[in-house]
Amino acid sequence: MTAPPKSALSQRPSKALLIGLVVSGVLALLVLAVMLVSGGPAGFGLAALLAVAPLPVLLAAVLSLDRLEPEPKLNLAFAFAWGAGLAVVLGIALTVLGQELFVRAGFGAAVVDDVGAIVLAPVIEEALKGSALLLLLRRRREIDGLTDGIVYASMAGLGFAAVENVGYYLLAFGEEGVGGAVQLFVVRGLIDPLGHPIYTSLIGVGVAYALTRRTAGRYAAIPLGYLGAVFLHGLWNGAATTGSLAWLGLAYLVIMVALLALIAVTVAERRHLVAKMGAYLPGYWQTGLVTEADVAMLSTLPGRKAARRWARRAGLGRAMSDYQQAATELTMLHLRAERQGMDPARFAAERDAYLAAMAHARRW
């Protein structure tokens, strides 16, 4: 068997990405270590367990949004680590610094606490989590649509929430014992586990829109997304400070509407991509790499799943996955060229690389 062709299917990880991943990961571990020392093994163990318990389901839910064209694992890990490490550390430091300025200005403790929760935390934390998306701008080829922006932003939000929740559960355990920690888990881990991912996803939509459109004001979508994220975050924190179930219910309703809108965006993009497969891939029938049956298979998630299941039984599981990915990337290449424009030579080089990958994978 010949070696697979060197194609556009993968990019070498940049040094900056690797450094960011390592630094953020180390900072996250240091924060957790401080919590362990300050809270003790019993409290920390319970807090960590409660914080981690919903993560598998939440990660699966986020990653399921991008099944047609999965993002590179290293990029996803970077976004999660950035949220869990650098965003948490700088968020705490800058919020404390901001509150100290209000204290020096003569404001009372209650006002300072409210300002920290309703204003400073949303403004600072959303900027820090969203900066992971800005750092990925250099890897702009990985962001092909609004769904990609939502996925990366959600990963940063989940990383931030996981570490932040350990701290909150630990505080509750110290004040009210196991019952207090579990009660808080019901709110943060069961009722509103997607708060941070939803807030930051608005920034992700803004960044992705700016990257995938050619309209004159496309970069205005980034600050608009940031303002939306700050508003949702501040709305929830503000409702929580009132202690009013009515305000919490209203804030929760607004956040759920935002979640439904984000889901609608991903569904619409998926349908659009499927339709474009039916439009672009038949143009490659003459190559012998795509047949009418292949287009039908590639155009639905159940069809793709059934094809992979058949391929695994035939010992061709990896080949089928590679073929599906290359065909999807080929369609995305056409979409990028259609929406953003592309140098013809570069388009031809990437197109040929995807076709070569499809040729290498196709053995049925």
Side-chain angles (χ1 to χ4, degrees):
M1 184 184 302
T2 59
K6 184 176 180 60
S7 71
L9 285 176
S10 60
Q11 297 185 74
R12 291 182 60 187
S14 68
K15 291 182 180 178
L17 194 68
L18 292 173
I19 292 172
L21 176 59
V22 171
V23 170
S24 295
V26 169
L27 286 176
L29 291 175
L30 287 175
V31 171
L32 293 173
V34 170
M35 292 180 183
L36 171 60
V37 172
S38 63
F44 178 81
L46 176 63
L49 178 63
L50 294 176
V52 170
L55 262 184
V57 174
L58 298 177
L59 288 171
V62 169
L63 296 178
S64 70
L65 299 176
D66 203 30
R67 286 179 292 169
L68 278 180
E69 192 236 344
E71 298 307 303
K73 292 182 176 62
L74 185 64
N75 288 12
L76 295 172
F78 164 79
F80 185 89
W82 181 272
L86 270 167
V88 167
V89 172
L90 292 179
I92 293 172
L94 293 176
T95 300
V96 169
L97 177 61
Q99 288 179 306
E100 180 62 25
L101 294 176
F102 278 89
V103 169
R104 292 183 180 182
F107 291 93
V111 173
V112 171
D113 287 342
D114 287 345
V115 168
I118 301 172
V119 179
L120 295 178
V123 168
I124 293 169
E125 291 174 5
E126 294 311 318
L128 290 169
K129 289 183 293 175
S131 61
L133 276 295
L134 298 179
L135 291 171
L136 285 169
L137 287 178
R138 294 184 62 187
R139 311 279 292 177
R140 59 178 57 207
R141 206 185 71 189
E142 298 297 350
I143 299 181
D144 295 307
L146 304 185
T147 300
D148 292 348
I150 292 171
V151 169
Y152 283 124
S154 295
M155 292 299 289
L158 286 175
F160 187 95
V163 175
E164 182 186 57
N165 282 343
V166 174
Y168 277 118
Y169 298 149
L170 195 57
L171 287 174
F173 176 82
E175 294 173 359
E176 303 177 43
V178 174
V182 173
Q183 185 177 2
L184 185 59
F185 168 74
V186 171
V187 176
R188 297 185 67 89
L190 298 181
I191 296 177
D192 187 39
L194 287 172
H196 279 291
I198 292 172
Y199 312 149
T200 313
S201 285
L202 298 186
I203 302 175
V205 169
V207 171
Y209 184 89
L211 283 177
T212 59
R213 301 299 190 273
R214 287 190 290 178
T215 56
R218 64 188 183 276
Y219 286 104
I222 298 177
L224 287 175
Y226 170 68
L227 290 176
V230 170
F231 170 75
L232 288 183
H233 196 159
L235 178 65
W236 177 257
N237 285 7
T241 60
T242 66
S244 166
L245 289 177
W247 276 108
L248 277 172
L250 177 61
Y252 189 76
L253 178 62
V254 173
I255 292 170
M256 288 302 102
V257 169
L259 173 61
L260 292 176
L262 292 169
I263 293 173
V265 166
T266 64
V267 170
E269 279 205 333
R270 182 179 296 171
R271 290 178 177 174
H272 181 63
L273 177 57
V274 166
K276 287 299 184 178
M277 284 184 178
Y280 290 130
L281 294 182
Y284 295 97
W285 281 348
Q286 75 277 8
T287 65
L289 299 175
V290 182
T291 66
E292 188 172 352
D294 292 327
V295 174
M297 173 268 290
L298 290 163
S299 297
T300 67
L301 288 174
R304 294 163 76 101
K305 185 176 180 179
R308 290 195 300 271
R309 187 164 52 244
W310 167 84
R312 284 194 296 270
R313 289 196 299 266
L316 299 171
R318 178 60 183 271
M320 177 61 74
S321 294
D322 288 347
Y323 177 83
Q324 290 182 351
Q325 182 186 357
T328 304
E329 295 282 4
L330 178 60
T331 304
M332 297 301 295
L333 174 65
H334 278 277
L335 279 173
R336 286 200 301 274
E338 179 183 297
R339 289 190 302 210
Q340 303 163 244
M342 185 175 290
D343 175 69
R346 179 184 171 190
F347 176 87
E350 292 193 26
R351 176 202 62 202
D352 292 346
Y354 291 133
L355 289 173
M358 292 168 66
H360 181 264
R362 186 180 176 86
R363 281 171 270 150
W364 51 86

